[in-house]
Amino acid sequence: MEIKVRYAPSPTGLQHIGGVRTALFNYLFARSAGGKFILRLEDTDRTRFDEGFVKNLYDTFQWLGLPWDEGPDVGGPCGPYVQSERFQVYARYAQDLVSAGKGYYCFCSAERLEALRQAREGSSEVGYDRRCRDLSPAEAADRVAAGETHTIRLKIPLGETTRFTDQLLGDIIWKNEDINPDPVLLKSDGFPTYHLANVIDDHLMGISHVLRAQEWLPSTPLHVIMYRSFGWEPPVFCHLPMVMGQDGKKLSKRHGATSIDEFRKQGYLPEALLNYVALLGASYQEGQDLYTLQELSEFFRLEKLNKSPAVFDYKKLAWYNEQYIRRKSDAELAELALPYAVSAGLFSGQKPGAEHLRAFQDAMPLIRERVSFLPEIPGKIQYLFSEPAIPSAAEFIPKKADLPKTIELLTLGRGFIETLAGMADSEGENFIKAQAEQAGVKLGDLMMPLRVALTGSRISPPLFGSIRILGAKRSLDRIDRALATLGNS
Ligand code: GLU
């Protein structure tokens, strides 16, 4: 059997974690099985459609680096891949169902259906009362020919059960009487409902496996009946475990970011997001946390999906982000962080010049291990690009020292700046240790006033790297300003 799967979003909202998880699992399954992954736009709900959501869909998957083999933008043998461009197809198949006695015309007005709904409120009976189900086909055809407004409904076989085997959940059996009675397939304006378009397209596009969120499980018995009514073999269904917040409720805005746009703005890397999302309800290799997309594609198995809901853990995702930040080269990380630095005003509102860019890139090793998210980067290295405010004298003074001693230590440290500026970090460290020993002072006591003078703070990224990037002249200037302040205190 040729493996073919699809991601079939309705462009009625931004792409979020749940949708991306569905798309990713479909992608991985296709890749693991040498099959095809297609994108189909289910834009039948024109009232909630927004072109912006289509753009968001493309942007999101481009950013994530998750391509499809067939789709509206790349084409393919089963197009068009946009449902609004396929309306005649659905109308034709709906007519076929009527001709075969598996569907029927319904002439009930919206008012009648509303009155029915109200009358049944609170009772166990729900949905349509099947009034038009037993009209004679000849009468119904006459009324249609006379131009009477109508829909097409599915004729659900009564007194039967519908069963299918979900790849993950096992055998699912529904009494047909428990399924929404004879749902509309084709609306009075000729538009298909989700069920009609979805089933026809999955069949015509040769979809072998439907991997979708568990919220669609209640629709599946209906879909199976539709496949049978058309005389088609249903695909294999596999309903993916829910994604929950840590409180056990369905993941939503209340828990934090859910749209990929938000994660992107908050400085998550696409690799981190993909890696983490891939673990929401699936397992791969024992003892391995980090996976490339290539590895995930190799190891993905439907048999390794979990039945129980996946819990979305923002802390775990942050950990993944840290790991991927640490794996970036200086140049890569600088490029990713640059937009955040520009908008944070790191270069004083100017377009960064070559010198700025070089210093920015050189600063990456100083903070790579100290940030979880890209937007944290500019704040951590601000002091390299603009003069930090000189803190109060108290900030400079090491424990058990006083002001004159601090001035002495800073003056001593000043003497090593020229040498340190030309040294690699490890060399600098050995050098300054030896100097502290020789002078009979504690290393920490020698470093503290220097650190405060150069970075404006007692806590900062590595000092020797900072001196190297600042250069001897700027470092000495900062120390002199600090000494002047201390002298006047
Ligand atoms: N258009 C549906 C959605 O937005 C597709 C459901 C399915 O995969 O069948 O999720």
Side-chain angles (χ1 to χ4, degrees):
M1 169 168 59
E2 200 207 354
I3 301 290
K4 205 169 178 195
V5 291
R6 67 357 182 235
Y7 176 47
S10 301
T12 53
L14 296 173
Q15 290 299 304
H16 53 80
I17 289 293
V20 165
R21 201 270 308 255
T22 300
L24 178 60
F25 281 15
N26 276 283
Y27 171 92
L28 296 177
F29 178 54
R31 287 290 169 274
S32 71
K36 290 248 168 359
F37 170 54
I38 77 173
L39 174 74
R40 181 174 73 228
L41 276 188
E42 300 210 325
D43 59 346
T44 51
D45 182 352
R46 302 308 289 179
T47 51
R48 290 167 61 212
F49 173 84
D50 187 318
E51 194 55 51
F53 295 138
V54 178
K55 184 174 178 312
N56 172 258
L57 169 75
Y58 289 126
D59 286 351
T60 299
F61 284 93
Q62 171 142 36
W63 179 71
L64 288 169
L66 211 61
W68 30 83
D69 303 304
E70 300 171 27
D73 52 343
V74 293
C78 304
Y81 294 91
V82 179
Q83 289 191 326
S84 59
E85 294 170 22
R86 302 170 62 84
F87 281 175
Q88 326 81 294
V89 177
Y90 311 129
R92 199 171 74 232
Y93 278 98
Q95 293 295 346
D96 287 353
L97 274 191
V98 176
S99 309
K102 312 277 186 183
Y104 60 91
Y105 296 119
C106 171
F107 303 95
C108 292
S109 65
E111 292 73 34
R112 170 168 195 273
L113 296 174
E114 177 54 23
L116 182 65
R117 195 188 61 75
Q118 282 180 13
R120 288 176 152 194
E121 216 155 86
S123 88
S124 62
E125 287 182 317
V126 285
Y128 184 51
D129 61 359
R130 304 191 172 96
R131 179 194 247 191
C132 294
R133 181 174 167 120
D134 296 321
L135 290 176
S136 84
E139 182 196 336
D142 284 348
R143 288 170 70 174
V144 169
E148 195 172 331
T149 303
H150 62 277
T151 60
I152 291 179
R153 289 183 183 272
L154 179 68
K155 195 184 249 179
I156 293 187
L158 297 176
E160 295 179 14
T161 52
T162 295
R163 59 169 68 217
F164 64 94
T165 304
D166 184 278
Q167 190 77 15
L168 181 63
L169 306 171
D171 287 340
I172 309 271
I173 303 169
W174 278 55
K175 282 200 202 118
N176 285 6
E177 268 71 3
D178 292 340
I179 297 170
N180 178 19
D182 295 2
V184 171
L185 299 182
L186 198 70
K187 299 185 213 171
S188 57
D189 56 9
F191 278 42
T193 56
Y194 152 73
H195 303 295
L196 181 69
N198 184 270
V199 163
I200 291 176
D201 283 349
D202 279 347
H203 173 72
L204 295 182
M205 295 180 179
I207 298 304
S208 63
H209 291 67
V210 168
L211 273 57
R212 62 183 169 195
Q214 224 162 77
E215 68 197 66
W216 296 102
L217 185 63
S219 297
T220 308
L222 174 64
H223 293 183
V224 170
I225 293 175
M226 290 170 67
Y227 280 99
R228 303 238 161 90
S229 303
F230 280 119
W232 300 333
E233 195 54 41
V236 176
F237 289 99
C238 180
H239 290 88
L240 305 172
M242 302 262 285
V243 182
M244 311 285 214
Q246 283 187 306
D247 56 0
K249 304 220 169 87
K250 190 176 176 222
L251 188 70
S252 75
K253 275 198 178 7
R254 282 179 304 119
H255 298 105
T258 54
S259 83
I260 305 305
D261 251 13
E262 280 173 274
F263 285 109
R264 197 173 163 177
K265 286 193 191 113
Q266 291 176 13
Y268 286 87
L269 301 183
E271 301 94 317
L273 211 52
L274 275 184
N275 196 150
Y276 183 61
V277 168
L279 301 171
L280 294 173
S283 51
Y284 301 82
Q285 300 289 88
E286 193 68 34
Q288 183 176 344
D289 294 312
L290 299 177
Y291 297 91
T292 62
L293 193 56
Q294 177 67 38
E295 287 174 313
L296 291 169
S297 306
E298 239 166 77
F299 302 141
F300 184 88
R301 296 285 175 275
L302 290 183
E303 301 75 52
K304 290 183 137 187
L305 292 177
N306 306 329
K307 273 191 205 162
S308 44
V311 177
F312 195 90
D313 180 348
Y314 287 86
K315 282 211 194 84
K316 196 87 199 273
L317 175 58
W319 181 83
Y320 274 95
N321 214 48
E322 289 161 12
Q323 302 311 309
Y324 282 98
I325 285 179
R326 285 168 200 188
R327 279 164 178 72
K328 294 285 175 200
S329 70
D330 294 349
E332 287 166 340
L333 189 56
E335 190 181 332
L336 288 167
L338 189 65
Y340 297 96
V342 170
S343 62
L346 195 69
F347 312 111
S348 322
Q350 294 163 11
K351 196 171 174 294
E355 216 164 293
H356 278 140
L357 292 177
R358 196 170 327 114
F360 189 64
Q361 184 168 319
D362 287 348
M364 294 301 116
L366 271 50
I367 44 77
R368 187 186 275 111
E369 309 253 332
R370 293 161 184 259
V371 296
S372 309
F373 304 105
L374 299 173
E376 291 169 46
I377 292 179
K380 290 241 186 306
I381 52 174
Q382 175 93 45
Y383 68 94
L384 295 173
F385 295 87
S386 48
E387 295 306 308
I390 299 175
S392 67
E395 288 292 303
F396 287 84
I397 302 176
K399 250 199 216 138
K400 294 196 196 142
D402 55 11
L403 186 61
K405 179 75 187 160
T406 304
I407 294 175
E408 203 179 293
L409 287 164
L410 188 53
T411 311
L412 176 68
R414 187 186 187 289
F416 306 135
I417 292 296
E418 295 270 10
T419 315
L420 284 172
M423 281 183 164
D425 290 10
S426 55
E427 257 186 301
E429 189 151 347
N430 290 334
F431 170 75
I432 201 96
K433 261 190 202 149
Q435 298 304 324
E437 212 163 293
Q438 210 171 2
V441 298
K442 278 203 210 129
L443 178 65
D445 290 357
L446 180 57
M447 298 273 282
M448 171 71 81
L450 265 186
R451 186 184 298 280
V452 178
L454 293 172
T455 71
S457 168
R458 290 168 84 110
I459 299 161
S460 80
L463 191 58
F464 306 127
S466 303
I467 295 173
R468 209 176 42 247
I469 294 172
L470 286 169
K473 179 164 182 324
R474 283 175 76 200
S475 301
L476 290 171
D477 285 351
R478 287 185 184 188
I479 294 171
D480 289 342
R481 279 200 302 139
L483 281 171
T485 310
L486 292 176
N488 292 333
S489 305

